[in-house]
Amino acid sequence: MKILSKIYTALIFIFLYAPIFVLIIFSFNDTDTSSRTQFSGFTLRWYERLFQDRYILEALLNTLIIAVVAAIASTILGTLAAVGINRMKRLPKKIMMNITNFPMVNPEIVTGVSMMLLFVAAVSLFGGRSLGMASLIIAHITFCLPYVILSVLPKLRQMNPNLFEAAQDLGCPPVRAFFKVVLPEIMPGIVTGMIMAFTLSIDDFVISYFTSGTTQTLPIYIYSMTRKRISPEINALSTVLFVCIMVLLIIINVRQARDERRAKKAEKERVV
């Protein structure tokens, strides 16, 4: 049974990561022919062309700006919302959780069209520019918020509810007690929610397509390239993004493991 479980696990990982490894391999493919499925040799020229392509770099810059702003804003708002929801009574908390979960199960095309109509109505009513960077950031914050809330809430539930009150009893103001006592306890959930919001924002296409206006993000630019031949520069760009996110996840996991070891060591020392 153990051997079968190991084989089954290996097959699952192969199924998940084989397309990514194929993409990485073909990002070094030296070919000028129409075929993109035959490996003709090793080259770095697609990476050189990637950093010389103004349109791809502009789309990448827009994507990163939107993702960073949306991740930071949704993390702050989502953390505050999670703290508020956690302090609610049973019935209001249940209602708020249903409202929070709804955007995640709602079809993205419905969310995208409804937000487009909202932004167009707001522009026509209050004046201003057409859809663009601002509408994209607001849309991304909106659909990232529920994921941050659901990442932070479990940490709040695991936390001892008496710690915050104990800090106040010892003379600590509420705001300072939150930053000194509550925030360190829920920080792993906040970091997880922020990473999830960042990756969801980078990856989003449907909502971005309806709310982008004249602003191009990377998924929209790649979609526009599917109407003609897709350049291997996209393989190189996808490889760079994959490696950057992988390194970020490794650093965060190593840091969390180190913090857990320190916490266990401190707890053992207190017991002794």
Side-chain angles (χ1 to χ4, degrees):
M1 289 297 294
K2 290 184 178 180
I3 296 176
L4 288 176
S5 64
K6 290 180 180 179
I7 294 174
Y8 180 69
T9 304
L11 289 175
I12 290 175
F13 278 105
I14 291 172
F15 178 77
L16 290 174
Y17 289 99
I20 298 176
F21 288 130
V22 171
L23 181 144
I24 292 173
I25 290 171
F26 277 91
S27 70
F28 300 101
N29 189 16
D30 186 11
T31 179
D32 286 319
T33 64
S34 59
S35 174
R36 293 290 181 261
T37 59
Q38 295 180 359
F39 194 81
S40 304
F42 182 86
T43 183
L44 293 174
R45 63 185 173 125
W46 301 118
Y47 289 88
E48 295 176 0
R49 291 190 183 181
L50 169 65
F51 293 103
Q52 295 172 357
D53 192 320
R54 181 172 63 87
Y55 297 104
I56 291 181
L57 292 180
E58 184 179 348
L60 175 61
L61 179 62
N62 290 336
T63 303
L64 291 177
I65 291 173
I66 294 167
V68 170
V69 175
I72 293 174
S74 60
T75 300
I76 295 172
L77 295 174
T79 302
L80 296 175
V83 172
I85 292 172
N86 188 62
R87 298 175 70 89
M88 289 180 177
K89 295 182 179 180
R90 186 174 180 180
L91 182 59
K93 182 186 292 187
K94 189 174 182 180
I95 295 172
M96 287 303 300
M97 288 306 301
N98 288 331
I99 294 174
T100 301
N101 293 335
F102 181 75
M104 294 188 295
V105 298
N106 191 40
E108 281 196 345
I109 191 168
V110 176
T111 304
V113 172
S114 60
M115 297 197 77
M116 178 191 68
L117 294 175
L118 174 65
F119 291 137
V120 170
V123 169
S124 62
L125 184 62
F126 300 105
R129 298 180 180 178
S130 60
L131 304 185
M133 185 72 76
S135 60
L136 274 169
I137 291 174
I138 295 172
H140 282 226
I141 292 172
T142 302
F143 74 77
C144 287
L145 262 175
Y147 297 94
V148 177
I149 293 172
L150 293 180
S151 298
V152 176
L153 270 176
K155 294 300 178 182
L156 286 167
R157 291 168 183 162
Q158 295 172 8
M159 177 183 163
N160 187 343
N162 297 321
L163 289 177
F164 183 70
E165 295 178 0
Q168 290 181 296
D169 291 339
L170 294 173
C172 190
V175 176
R176 188 176 180 185
F178 173 80
F179 284 102
K180 292 291 185 180
V181 178
V182 179
L183 194 61
E185 292 288 330
I186 64 175
M187 186 56 70
I190 294 175
V191 173
T192 302
M194 187 172 184
I195 294 173
M196 189 176 297
F198 181 77
T199 53
L200 285 171
S201 179
I202 285 181
D203 184 58
D204 180 75
F205 167 73
V206 177
I207 297 176
S208 299
Y209 182 79
F210 286 102
T211 59
S212 60
T214 57
T215 303
Q216 274 203 331
T217 62
L218 198 58
I220 296 174
Y221 183 79
I222 294 174
Y223 172 74
S224 66
M225 292 182 66
T226 58
R227 300 175 184 177
K228 50 186 180 179
R229 284 179 54 199
I230 298 179
S231 171
E233 296 172 21
I234 298 300
N235 296 343
L237 177 59
S238 301
T239 301
V240 171
L241 289 175
F242 173 77
V243 171
C244 291
I245 292 175
M246 182 65 69
V247 170
L248 180 62
L249 290 175
I250 290 173
I251 293 172
I252 291 171
N253 288 330
V254 169
R255 181 181 177 183
Q256 288 181 351
R258 185 180 60 187
D259 292 341
E260 289 177 1
R261 287 195 299 268
R262 287 179 179 176
K264 290 180 180 179
K265 184 177 180 182
E267 186 176 353
K268 288 181 180 178
E269 290 177 353
R270 284 197 299 268
V271 172
V272 175

